[in-house]
Amino acid sequence: LAVTGSPAVPAAWALGPLLWRDENIDQNEVLDDIETLRALDLPASGIWIDRPYATGVNTFDFEPSLYPDPADMVRQANDLGLRVGVWHTPYVSDEDAPDLNAEAESQGYFAPTTPIIFNHWGKPIDFTNPDAMDWWQDLIGRYTALGIEGYKLDYGEDVVIGYGGGSTGWVFSDGTDERVMHKGYPRLYHQAYGETLGPDGGFLLCRAGTWGDQTTTSIIWPGDLDADLSQHRDVRDDGSLAVGGLPAAVSAAVGLGPSGYPFFGSDTGGYRHSPPSVETFVRWFQHTALSAVMQVGNSSSTQPWEILADEPELLDLYRDYSRLHLRLFPALWTQAQDLATGGRPLLRPFGLQEPGWGQHPADVYFLGEDLLVAPVVTAGATTRTFPRPAGDWLAFADGEALGGTPGDMVTVDAPLDVLPLFIRAGAVVPLLRPDIDTLAPVAEGTGLESYANDAGRLWSRAACGGSSTAALWDGSSIALTDDGNAVYISFVEGSVFNQGAAVELVGLSTAPASVTADGSTTDDWDFTDGVLTVPAFAGSLRVAR
């Protein structure tokens, strides 16, 4: 951190599910997607509008014949708990934006020497020129005025060190060349947008960057992965080599956290050769739900309800996993606030947390200290084999103990509707309430459950068999102790979570003998499928075996 700086943290709402289409037809389609999303009770906190939506690339507008009232479109999205972003690049096109291009040329806003251009649209803006930076940020302000709060920043990779056996010969207004700006240009490009975001941080979803850029780039996505379960360099049916699908996405997510980029989100379902198969989409959303960022979209512009149109039970499954991702916010946000001091990534490679193993499997990881995630990344697989970590672990869903011996490989059942997910014995994972719909504010009368409007009780998924305390960023905490005869849980309120607590406890072999909440025996609990749910207590809970 002393060298690179602390990672930028996106707005809180950006840690909820984010949806997008690769090509939106018009404003009506955007509004229809928003209505459909909410009608189907699919949790989400944001959307972004990918190109084409403007009169041209980087014209800083919306095509009026297709988007007659973009400000009202954004307002309607906001009312329903969705913040809005747009796709963008650092170029001005002579064809698409002749007036802006002419102004940039006349004012010297392009690099003095601009050799080979590796994009479809035009020369990149020279962000080393303070006047060019100010001009570009003034143009970005047109979107800010419409209520846009985030950007998917594509491209910006034109400044290469060499091409065709020789140097490329870039010269920027500050005197630097390609040797510096090969890595420096994406940082300045992202800075141009990052400085325009609101005080909550908005979001920047970027595909380029290197050390130091994490202070501006809040979220990384890996570019265009294959919409399948292929490994990198697998031979496709047409003889071409695969970029890689879900296995590559998991590997990148696992590796980027310790590399300084803790917020990572691949396109759920993949991008190239989309739409994804039902199996690919399900396995992918199971992974991204248990990651820092869950963003959902693909090159075929199909939404979850379209991919799963013939599989209503799997749309139900998508709803459950996207809601789980939303519910994990208290745990993820607490870890995000600790990044500047603790520096521990949200997704942690197996070998980083279990160094005694001496290996770093690319497709198994921990989410925080207490959740073990083993996504299924092989087509047709209905079991999952992975290294067994030290200690006792229970299935997150029902509390079944993970067998085997620490240090061995274990195999568990993993049919299509199951993600192998385990919680450490004795752990407490803070959650939002089960009916949560969005992290963003909502308008009155929508019937939506919003964390921003009402944080509600602090829920948690807790596991018998040990003791621990989960301390949250707002000063609240929830602690668990299991002495073998009873499980004791205590809650201390904070500035945000100050309405009591609730718990989902796994690891009991049978229903409890009694439950005592705040000193009094209560019947307000349920024990179903291995999970004891106590929906309300103020400060203390005792669960007797």
Side-chain angles (χ1 to χ4, degrees):
L1 293 179
V3 175
T4 64
S6 299
V9 177
W13 55 262
L15 296 190
L18 310 169
L19 278 78
W20 58 282
R21 288 186 187 270
D22 193 48
E23 294 184 357
N24 279 110
I25 296 172
D26 55 20
Q27 180 170 326
N28 287 335
E29 183 183 54
V30 175
L31 294 175
D32 183 66
D33 282 346
I34 293 169
E35 292 290 343
T36 301
L37 182 77
R38 292 312 187 199
L40 293 173
D41 187 29
L42 301 180
S45 293
I47 62 171
W48 74 74
I49 302 170
D50 221 290
R51 69 180 181 96
Y53 59 87
T55 55
V57 171
N58 297 347
T59 49
F60 294 92
D61 59 8
F62 281 83
E63 168 56 60
S65 66
L66 301 177
Y67 293 86
D69 194 343
D72 186 64
M73 174 184 67
V74 173
R75 180 196 60 77
Q76 291 188 58
N78 291 171
D79 285 351
L80 292 176
L82 298 168
R83 315 314 283 184
V84 182
V86 294
W87 176 94
H88 229 244
T89 66
Y91 312 119
V92 172
S93 167
D94 184 30
E95 180 180 351
D96 287 351
D99 291 343
L100 292 178
N101 185 78
E103 183 177 1
E105 287 280 13
S106 66
Q107 297 299 318
Y109 294 157
F110 297 124
T113 303
T114 305
I116 304 170
I117 302 299
F118 295 99
N119 71 81
H120 306 294
W121 302 293
K123 294 185 289 188
I125 295 298
D126 182 358
F127 293 114
T128 72
N129 180 341
D131 292 335
M133 175 73 84
D134 290 344
W135 178 69
W136 198 254
Q137 290 182 329
D138 285 344
L139 292 172
I140 295 171
R142 298 179 183 179
Y143 285 130
T144 305
L146 294 174
I148 299 300
E149 298 179 74
Y151 298 91
K152 178 181 182 178
L153 298 182
D154 214 342
Y155 291 84
E157 300 146 323
D158 302 83
V159 186
V160 300
I161 294 176
Y163 183 77
S167 65
T168 49
W170 285 85
V171 178
F172 290 84
S173 67
D174 68 347
T176 55
D177 60 18
E178 67 271 13
R179 292 171 295 177
V180 172
M181 297 306 290
H182 173 59
K183 300 296 187 183
Y185 187 83
R187 178 177 57 81
L188 292 174
Y189 163 32
H190 301 156
Q191 178 184 331
Y193 291 79
E195 291 177 347
T196 71
L197 298 174
D200 69 351
F203 83 93
L204 294 183
L205 186 79
C206 309
R207 81 176 193 185
T210 186
W211 68 270
D213 191 32
Q214 59 265 54
T215 61
T216 297
T217 298
S218 52
I219 304 172
I220 285 286
W221 107 100
D224 301 341
L225 298 181
D226 293 309
D228 54 32
L229 303 179
S230 62
Q231 299 278 347
H232 178 57
R233 295 190 67 82
D234 277 353
V235 179
R236 303 183 59 82
D237 291 341
D238 62 4
S240 64
L241 295 180
V243 173
L246 177 58
V250 176
S251 179
V254 170
L256 275 175
S259 300
Y261 287 89
F263 301 101
F264 172 85
S266 58
D267 300 334
T268 298
Y271 187 86
R272 294 156 51 96
H273 314 293
S274 66
S277 68
V278 167
E279 179 189 29
T280 294
F281 185 59
V282 170
R283 292 307 193 189
W284 214 307
F285 73 61
Q286 289 171 341
H287 156 60
T288 53
L290 270 296
S291 71
V293 175
M294 185 180 189
Q295 56 100 349
V296 186
N298 59 69
S299 66
S300 63
S301 297
T302 45
Q303 296 283 18
W305 55 88
E306 295 165 336
I307 298 172
L308 302 174
D310 298 325
E311 306 282 353
E313 72 284 359
L314 293 180
L315 185 60
D316 292 342
L317 188 71
Y318 172 82
R319 180 183 301 107
D320 292 343
Y321 273 91
S322 55
R323 180 157 279 123
L324 174 58
H325 178 77
L326 199 60
R327 295 190 68 199
L328 284 166
F329 171 77
L332 295 176
W333 194 243
T334 297
Q335 295 173 55
Q337 303 312 302
D338 289 342
L339 286 169
T341 54
R344 298 279 282 172
L346 283 70
L347 268 70
R348 301 172 187 178
F350 189 92
L352 181 66
Q353 193 143 313
E354 294 283 325
W357 258 85
Q359 61 173 297
H360 290 252
D363 55 6
V364 184
Y365 59 90
F366 295 88
L367 187 59
E369 295 283 346
D370 298 318
L371 294 177
L372 171 66
V373 190
V376 176
V377 298
T378 303
T382 57
T383 61
R384 182 65 163 89
T385 300
F386 55 91
R388 192 201 187 286
D392 295 325
W393 293 83
L394 309 179
F396 188 87
D398 60 13
E400 182 178 350
L402 178 62
T405 302
D408 289 346
M409 300 295 288
V410 294
T411 299
V412 301
D413 290 336
L416 184 59
D417 61 347
V418 172
L419 166 71
L421 172 63
F422 301 88
I423 182 172
R424 188 189 303 275
V428 181
V429 177
L431 300 171
L432 296 179
R433 57 190 186 275
D435 59 352
I436 197 74
D437 296 306
T438 179
L439 300 176
V442 299
E444 291 185 11
T446 63
L448 295 168
E449 294 295 330
S450 163
Y451 160 78
N453 289 57
D454 179 10
R457 295 190 185 98
L458 178 63
W459 284 66
S460 65
R461 178 67 61 121
C464 299
S467 62
S468 67
T469 300
L472 278 70
W473 84 96
D474 76 322
S476 63
S477 64
I478 190 159
L480 177 148
T481 300
D482 184 351
D483 67 6
N485 297 312
V487 178
Y488 299 86
I489 299 174
S490 61
F491 168 69
V492 176
E493 70 177 31
S495 59
V496 174
F497 293 104
N498 52 23
Q499 301 178 47
V503 69
E504 301 160 357
L505 181 66
V506 299
L508 296 173
S509 57
T510 61
S514 65
V515 176
T516 303
D518 305 313
S520 300
T521 301
T522 179
D523 295 325
D524 187 16
W525 54 268
D526 175 76
F527 185 75
T528 302
D529 296 330
V531 182
L532 172 69
T533 301
V534 183
F537 64 97
S540 64
L541 195 68
R542 179 180 184 272
V543 179
R545 287 182 168 83

